């Protein structure tokens, strides 16, 4: 490669990283606002969350196209090939995190007019705190190429799963106490599942960071799912 | 390219197509068996479905790696580049369909010992019939590069969504009728959501076939989701 080629190649990779960073910021904001909308049954905020998802879709498509074209044009090897593959994987996971936040916002639209049960949302807020911290750490790990931080995210995902089990039982109890809670709590069950799946995708991002830095895949003994190689498909075994 | 290169290139693409065809067969079998297990609360069959998911994960990783290496080595253009991208996308969607079938099997393990309500499963069976037909048609459309069949799959996904809405309402009614149905029906709610998401991934496959054949993305006005460019991330906007 000439110096010129190398530089334009570096620019390709920089541009991928910059757009992933933008995607991460949008997804974090969507998640925080979706939970605010749910807590306050704020229909207007929920609608804004739904609308902001389009930006993530656009960015993901751009990143995928750029990464594939970079692979095709530059024939990168080793670390540079991993940079491109990591960009495809991580943009896919962030796009899905945005979808899941959007789903929480859509649930808010559905239940805004129903009987409220504030104590039913307490457990979801705790799940959100963990999910938001994990997401921030995973995105930081990617930005800093910090393998150790990524491994910590990977280890901590089990906390969110345990909390989801507990939220599931609580919501079932509320439904059994009073049939008027059934519809409201059913929608919260799906919100809780969405938060847990956000945790899965966050863990996927952490796995991708380890792969990016070390070239190795994470072991299969992940608390609940196994790592994929490329796509956003490497999650959801836990549902 | 020399003749030799062209031939080995064709072999790469053939090998991708063969493994996707194997993945499709495994996913179809998993879905059928997961629904059999659920209908009969057959724990042994459910366990076999869970175990068979590993084969899909392995195949997906192989396909992704092969496709990326083919792009990096051969620098394909136009239709051949689309073949590689389509292989990555479709293997991701089939892998997730397998995950979702596995989730249905896992729910069977959870509810096998609970009070049964056979009429609650009727709607799920109807959803499964549509989902299985759609999946078969989408896989056939890929095997035959049949754009028209793919577009039909894309159009028909709305049927599955409408049925899911109706199943959701029925399950809520059963829960309100008798609190002893709540736990059982809650698990069925998640199964119904899994079937609907299988429909989403099937529609993604259909979109990829259209992209593969024509080079164009499907319009954004899809009944409920927008097409992605590459990864399995192009679904789930409907949850």
């Amino acid at each position: 490669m000439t110096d010129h080629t190398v530089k334009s190649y570096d620019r390709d990779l920089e541009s991928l990283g910059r757009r992933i960073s933008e995607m991460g910021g949008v997804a974090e904001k969507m998640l925080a606002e979706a939970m605010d909308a749910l807590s306050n049954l704020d229909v207007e905020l929920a609608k804004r969350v739904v609308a902001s998802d389009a930006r993530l879709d656009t960015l993901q498509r751009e990143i995928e196209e750029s990464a594939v074209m970079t692979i095709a044009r530059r024939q990168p090897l080793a670390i540079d090939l991993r940079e491109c593959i990591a960009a495809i994987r991580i943009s896919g996971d962030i796009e899905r995190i945005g979808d899941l936040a959007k789903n929480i916002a859509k649930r808010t639209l559905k239940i805004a007019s129903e009987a409220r049960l504030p104590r039913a949302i307490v457990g979801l807020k705790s799940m959100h705190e963990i999910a938001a911290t994990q997401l921030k750490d995973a995105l930081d790990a990617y930005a800093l190429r910090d393998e150790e931080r990524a491994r910590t995210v990977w280890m901590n995902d089990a906390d969110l799963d345990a909390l989801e089990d507990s939220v599931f039982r609580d919501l079932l109890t509320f439904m059994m106490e009073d049939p008027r809670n059934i519809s409201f709590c059913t929608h919260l069950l799906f919100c809780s599942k969405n938060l847990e799946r956000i945790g899965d995708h966050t863990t996927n991002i952490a796995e991708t960071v380890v792969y990016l830095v070390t070239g190795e895949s994470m072991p299969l003994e992940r608390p609940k799912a196994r790592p994929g190689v490329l796509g956003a498909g490497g999650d959801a075994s836990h549902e």
Side-chain angles (χ1 to χ4, degrees), chain A:
Chain A
M1 281 201 234
T2 65
D3 265 11
H4 177 75
T5 314
V6 170
K7 272 183 197 152
S8 98
Y9 187 24
D10 283 346
R11 272 201 301 276
D12 283 0
L13 296 183
E14 267 172 35
S15 161
L16 285 175
R18 202 168 46 243
R19 280 177 290 179
I20 285 178
S21 168
E22 182 185 347
M23 283 190 81
V26 173
E28 286 188 299
K29 186 160 180 278
M30 284 178 73
L31 174 58
E33 292 185 344
M35 284 303 297
D36 275 350
L38 180 67
S39 302
N40 305 316
L41 296 179
D42 181 338
V43 168
E44 291 311 312
L45 183 58
K47 284 181 183 166
R48 285 205 297 280
V49 173
V50 172
S52 59
D53 189 47
R55 178 69 188 144
L56 282 191
D57 295 344
T58 303
L59 280 165
Q60 187 207 4
R61 278 180 246 180
E62 286 177 10
I63 290 169
E64 284 171 339
E65 280 176 3
S66 302
V68 167
M69 292 318 293
T70 301
I71 295 172
R73 281 201 205 107
R74 318 269 189 207
Q75 302 182 281
L77 294 172
I79 177 68
D80 290 336
L81 180 58
R82 293 207 300 277
E83 285 279 357
C84 295
I85 292 174
I88 295 172
R89 289 182 65 176
I90 292 177
S91 67
D93 281 309
I94 299 176
E95 190 271 340
R96 291 187 54 86
I97 288 169
D99 274 343
L100 293 159
K102 182 173 70 170
N103 287 343
I104 293 172
K106 282 183 175 176
R107 293 277 166 193
T108 301
L109 299 177
K110 283 183 186 169
I111 61 178
S113 61
E114 298 202 12
R116 306 180 182 202
L117 189 69
R119 67 191 164 120
I121 299 182
V122 174
L124 291 172
K125 286 183 183 169
S126 304
M127 287 186 74
H128 169 242
E129 277 173 32
I130 298 180
T133 304
Q134 287 275 92
L135 178 57
K136 182 181 183 307
D137 286 346
L139 293 170
D140 284 351
Y142 173 67
L144 304 167
R145 305 294 189 265
D146 184 337
E147 179 192 350
E148 195 179 321
R149 196 175 305 205
R151 288 190 186 276
T152 306
V153 170
W154 191 81
M155 293 300 296
N156 289 347
D157 186 49
D159 296 348
L160 196 56
D161 292 344
L163 193 52
E164 197 232 341
D165 282 346
S166 143
V167 167
F168 182 87
R169 284 192 301 272
D170 288 347
L171 291 171
L172 243 54
T173 305
F174 298 141
M175 289 196 259
M176 288 174 190
E177 277 173 11
D178 186 342
R180 285 171 296 182
N181 294 335
I182 287 177
S183 176
F184 187 81
C185 288
T186 296
H187 288 293
L188 294 188
L189 274 177
F190 282 107
C191 291
S192 145
K193 180 57 75 184
N194 287 331
L195 286 169
E196 187 250 303
R197 289 178 58 216
I198 285 173
D200 285 342
H201 288 286
T202 300
T203 309
N204 285 351
I205 293 172
E207 286 175 358
T208 301
V209 172
V210 173
Y211 159 79
L212 172 59
V213 177
T214 68
E216 284 162 32
S217 292
M218 298 290 282
L220 290 167
E221 307 87 61
R222 170 171 166 184
K224 56 172 192 291
R226 66 286 155 286
V229 166
L230 217 194
D235 81 293
S237 89
H238 192 72
E239 203 152 344

